[in-house]
Amino acid sequence: MIFAHSDETLNVTLLLFPGLSLLSLAATLDPLRGANRVLGRTAYRWRLVSMDGEMPVASCGLPIPVDGAFAPADPQDALIVLAAFDAASQATPRILRALRMGATRSRIVGGIESGSWLMGFAGLLDGRRATTHWEDLEDFAARFPNVDVQPDRFVVDEPVFTTGGATPALDCMLSLIRARNGYSAALDVASLYIYEEMRTGSDVQPIVSLGRIRQHEPRVAKAIRIMETHIDRPVTIAAIARRLDISTRGLETLFLKTIDVSPGAYYVALRLSAARRLVLDTSLPIADIAERTGFSAIASLSRAYRRQFGVPPSAARRARL
C-alpha cells in the first residue's frame, strides 16, 4: 500500500507526454519536494521521463527537461502518467504496451488529468474506480464501460489512482503525504503554497471555482452548484430559490449584489460556456451539444451562442479547424 504510513523513501517515475499541463505537473511534483524540505530528509525521490527521452513541450509551449527515456522494465514504487488533452491520439499500441509493462513493475500507477485516459486505453482501470477532468467525465464513462467513473476530485483505488486536474492533483499528493508522513507534515507542505483548503478525494469536481463567494455568500455558491448539476436539464430560478428557502426576488438580489448579474443570465452563460467547450474541443454534432446543454433545438443554441460569442457554433467550429 502506497497510501499508508511509511518511513521508507518512495521512488516515483513521472511519465510526461507532449501537451501536458504545466500546472498539473507542478501540482504533482512540487509537493514531493516540499515534503522532503518539511521532513528534512529524502522521503520522496523522482525521475522525469518521456517515451523517447526527448523534452516534451507543455501545452503552454514550455519544453520540460527529462532524465531520459521511459524504461518500462525498470522497477519503481509509483508510475504517474501526465498526458495531453487529446490523450486518445497518443494511445498507440507501443505506448499502451509500455504502460502495461510499467504497471507490472510498479506498486501503483497514477493518472493526472488526461493521464487517466491513457491508463483506461491500456486496460489499467478495468474494474476500478477512477476519475478524470470534469469536462470529460461523460465521454470517459462511455468510452470505458468497465470503469466505475466517479466525479470526485481524485480517486485512490490501489493499485491505481486518478485525479481530475491540477488542484485535485495537489490534493491527492497532500493526501499521500498525510497517509505516509502524518497530518502535520501535509499541513506544513500545504502551507508552503499558502493552500488553506485541503480537499478530500470524495469532494465533487466543481465546474466553477467559487473562491471567496462560498465564504461571503454561501447561498449564491449553493445556487451555482445546483446550476452546474443541471446543465442538460435546466431547472427554473424559482425552483432553485425554493431549494435554498428564499424567494426568487431574494435570490436575484443576492446574485446582483455578489456577482453583478442575475441568476437567469448567469445560468445561461454557464450553459453556453459548456456548449462552447463541446463545440471547440469535441466533434459532437451540434444537435447533441444543444441537448447536452439544455437547449430545445439547434436554432435556440445558435441564437444564444451568437449573442454570447459573436458567431454561431458552426462557424466557431470551422474557425477552429
Side-chain angles (χ1 to χ4, degrees):
M1 297 286 288
I2 295 298
F3 284 77
H5 176 75
S6 176
D7 292 324
E8 297 180 357
T9 297
L10 190 74
N11 293 294
V12 180
T13 297
L14 291 97
L15 176 55
L16 313 183
F17 285 86
L20 80 158
S21 162
L22 188 60
L23 189 58
S24 289
L25 172 59
T28 304
L29 175 58
D30 211 62
L32 306 182
R33 177 205 61 81
N36 287 349
R37 172 184 168 184
V38 164
L39 295 168
R41 61 182 177 86
T42 306
Y44 300 90
R45 185 180 294 116
W46 55 85
R47 295 181 72 247
L48 274 62
V49 300
S50 62
M51 287 302 300
D52 56 8
E54 299 297 321
M55 289 193 294
V57 177
S59 57
C60 64
L62 185 68
I64 308 297
V66 295
D67 299 305
F70 178 46
D74 290 350
Q76 59 259 312
D77 294 322
L79 171 62
I80 302 180
V81 183
L82 293 97
F85 180 79
D86 60 341
S89 66
Q90 298 169 333
T92 65
R94 180 179 71 88
I95 286 175
L96 298 184
R97 283 195 301 270
L99 286 177
R100 285 190 285 266
M101 179 179 291
T104 66
R105 304 290 286 165
S106 307
R107 295 167 62 189
I108 195 169
V109 182
I112 305 299
E113 199 163 338
S114 296
S116 54
W117 280 85
L118 286 179
M119 292 175 64
F121 284 120
L124 302 179
L125 300 179
D126 288 352
R128 301 284 179 183
R129 293 180 297 111
T131 193
T132 190
H133 193 278
W134 62 265
E135 289 183 352
D136 299 331
L137 282 171
E138 186 174 343
D139 293 333
F140 189 77
R143 181 61 183 80
F144 304 114
N146 295 326
V147 179
D148 182 6
V149 179
Q150 303 291 319
D152 300 356
R153 292 178 68 82
F154 65 91
V155 175
V156 179
D157 191 0
E158 296 200 58
V160 298
F161 72 88
T162 48
T163 81
T167 53
L170 174 58
D171 291 324
C172 186
M173 293 300 104
L174 291 173
S175 178
L176 173 67
I177 294 165
R178 176 179 178 176
R180 295 182 66 82
N181 312 116
Y183 194 21
S184 177
L187 286 175
D188 287 344
V189 173
S191 296
L192 294 176
Y193 313 109
I194 319 178
Y195 188 59
E196 300 177 358
E197 193 171 359
M198 292 170 56
R199 308 293 293 272
T200 65
S202 59
D203 288 342
V204 175
Q205 295 180 48
I207 296 176
V208 178
S209 296
L210 294 176
R212 294 185 178 274
I213 294 177
R214 187 185 297 108
Q215 297 176 12
H216 293 310
E217 187 40 73
R219 289 170 294 183
V220 170
K222 289 178 181 178
I224 291 173
R225 290 292 179 245
I226 293 171
M227 294 174 186
E228 287 180 344
T229 57
H230 294 83
I231 295 291
D232 58 337
R233 296 182 182 278
V235 295
T236 65
I237 302 303
I240 295 174
R242 283 196 298 272
R243 289 179 62 173
L244 300 177
D245 198 26
I246 59 176
S247 67
T248 301
R249 186 178 181 84
L251 183 59
E252 290 174 348
T253 300
L254 287 174
F255 262 75
L256 289 169
K257 180 180 178 182
T258 306
I259 55 177
D260 199 29
V261 69
S262 72
Y266 184 90
Y267 201 176
V268 171
L270 188 66
R271 290 161 51 212
L272 285 170
S273 293
R276 186 169 186 266
R277 285 189 293 270
L278 293 172
V279 167
L280 299 180
D281 297 337
T282 76
S283 299
L284 283 173
I286 302 299
D288 290 355
I289 294 173
E291 182 177 357
R292 286 194 184 196
T293 53
F295 289 92
S296 59
I298 295 177
S300 298
L301 171 61
S302 294
R303 285 193 298 270
Y305 197 101
R306 182 192 289 272
R307 284 195 300 269
Q308 185 80 355
F309 303 115
V311 295
S314 56
R317 175 167 285 176
R318 287 195 299 271
R320 174 200 66 175
L321 301 176

